[in-house]
Amino acid sequence: CIRLTKLAMAKHVTDFTKGLADLVEERCSTVQVFVDEARVAPQVELAKFVWGTSRKIHKKIDPNHDHDGKRKQAWEEAKGMLKEIIDFELWSPLDFHGPCIKTVSEKIVAEVLKNYLHFVLTGEVRTKHAPPKLLGETDELLVIDKPPMFTCNYGSGKLPPTAGCETPTQLLNCTKATIQIHEYLALKFDYE
């Protein structure tokens, strides 16, 4: 029931969200059994499972029958969430093509599907580090609540080192113990 409460509160809920959440939860549970029992599936079987999951997600979202843009957006979001286990440049919903599925463990597949389920239910991308909260902004001022692992070494006369990430989500998922707040803000917001 907690899942339904989250779903009911989500702003991004569409007519296909509940069915999509049910599908992802079922597929996640299936692979989680392998993780819990420390079993290893043959790589080709795991690849077929991942492809079958992505095919079912594609069918449930049905981006080709989109009237208001929500289905295409949902499919793009799904691809973004699943890119750690699927190469969508090689993927097709029509036929299984082994190289489109990345060689990963059951644990990684379960983790990616759990993160995608969380996104479907809440509209939020789960990351290792919590993002700073935007408290307010004016034309000249941005007020944020900075989590403790974020540091600010900007303005000391030389530029501090950066992680070199391309997106704020990559930065929030990096393994560094501290993150430069200016790097996050530069990736997240389009300010000069």
Side-chain angles (χ1 to χ4, degrees):
C1 282
I2 292 173
R3 189 170 68 80
L4 290 176
T5 302
K6 282 184 181 179
L7 186 59
M9 293 172 24
K11 295 177 184 175
H12 70 285
V13 173
T14 63
D15 58 330
F16 55 87
T17 305
K18 184 183 180 324
L20 181 59
D22 291 342
L23 167 67
V24 176
E25 184 175 46
E26 181 266 324
R27 300 299 279 187
C28 187
S29 296
T30 300
V31 75
Q32 188 62 45
V33 170
F34 279 82
V35 175
D36 293 343
E37 295 176 2
R39 294 183 1 211
V40 177
Q43 193 60 44
V44 70
E45 294 303 317
L46 184 59
K48 286 180 180 177
F49 174 82
V50 170
W51 176 79
T53 300
S54 61
R55 182 176 180 225
K56 289 179 179 189
I57 290 169
H58 182 268
K59 184 176 180 180
K60 181 66 72 179
I61 293 173
D62 197 12
N64 298 325
H65 293 93
D66 193 12
H67 303 293
D68 58 4
K70 289 182 180 179
R71 290 180 178 275
K72 284 183 181 168
Q73 179 183 347
W75 177 240
E76 290 304 313
E77 292 166 344
K79 291 191 315 186
M81 296 295 297
L82 300 173
K83 69 184 175 198
E84 189 176 340
I85 57 176
I86 301 169
D87 181 348
F88 283 98
E89 295 292 320
L90 303 173
W91 184 87
S92 167
L94 303 176
D95 297 306
F96 172 71
H97 180 57
C100 75
I101 306 302
K102 298 180 180 180
T103 304
V104 294
S105 67
E106 291 82 354
K107 183 178 179 180
I108 298 295
V109 172
E111 182 179 307
V112 168
L113 291 178
K114 282 180 196 172
N115 287 340
Y116 181 50
L117 178 60
H118 177 79
F119 176 78
V120 170
L121 294 173
T122 66
E124 298 173 357
V125 176
R126 188 182 296 175
T127 57
K128 290 179 185 174
H129 302 290
K133 289 186 174 81
L134 180 62
L135 301 176
E137 66 180 297
T138 67
D139 289 341
E140 298 179 15
L141 184 67
L142 182 66
V143 181
I144 58 169
D145 181 11
K146 180 182 79 61
M149 84 295 250
F150 282 81
T151 60
C152 184
N153 295 336
Y154 194 80
S156 62
K158 61 180 184 174
L159 291 177
T162 60
C165 297
E166 294 180 17
T167 67
T169 302
Q170 285 178 350
L171 185 62
L172 292 174
N173 280 324
C174 76
T175 56
K176 292 179 70 174
T178 60
I179 297 172
Q180 292 290 330
I181 189 70
H182 71 277
E183 183 177 11
Y184 174 80
L185 294 174
L187 291 170
K188 181 71 175 175
F189 301 102
D190 188 21
Y191 295 128
E192 290 185 16

